[in-house]
């Protein structure tokens, strides 16, 4: 299958290790820095700290889509979701967050969203007529 003209890039990050996973203000600032680095326009933000281990869920609503983070400090883990369209560069957001959150390792999954999928047409094989 051939994918053509995606509407956006969706990047899923698994940050293992790292710092400041219970610091809501710092995480909000980090996501805002990442959005600016990618060339995105921030429309609003919302962050919530949970009891217990102090995990955080936060989201930036962007004109170009969103960036979200969910932390599990007891597991030293953060799940980060970056979805952007238009003239943005979500890879810059990925690099910015790595610099600010200092993960020990990062797993990255990239998905091109909304791409039209067309089947590949195999080349035509010409076979000579051997009945003559």
């Amino acid at each position: 299958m051939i994918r053509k003209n995606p509407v956006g890039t969706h990047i899923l990050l698994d940050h293992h290790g790292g710092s400041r996973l219970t610091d809501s203000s710092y995480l909000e600032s980090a996501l805002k820095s990442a959005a600016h680095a990618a060339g995105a326009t921030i429309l609003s933000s919302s962050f919530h700290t949970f009891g217990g281990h102090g995990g955080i869920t936060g989201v930036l609503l962007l004109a170009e889509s969103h960036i979200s983070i969910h932390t599990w400090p007891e597991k030293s883990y953060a799940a980060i979701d970056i979805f952007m369209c238009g003239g943005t560069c979500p890879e810059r957001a990925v690099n910015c967050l790595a610099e600010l959150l200092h993960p020990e390792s990062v797993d990255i999954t990239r998905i091109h969203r909304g791409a039209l999928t067309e089947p590949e047409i195999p080349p035509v094989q010409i076979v000579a007529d051997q009945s003559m």
Side-chain angles (χ1 to χ4, degrees), residues 41-94:
T41 304
I42 300 168
L43 300 176
S44 67
S45 67
S46 182
F47 282 73
H48 176 79
T49 302
F50 294 92
H53 298 285
I56 294 169
T57 289
V59 63
L60 295 185
L61 179 63
L62 308 174
E64 301 81 6
S65 198
H66 70 272
I67 300 177
S68 65
I69 188 167
H70 309 281
T71 70
W72 286 264
E74 71 276 15
K75 297 184 182 287
S76 295
Y77 172 74
I80 301 169
D81 186 283
I82 301 168
F83 183 28
M84 293 184 184
C85 61
T88 60
C89 185
E91 289 78 10
R92 289 183 185 157
V94 171

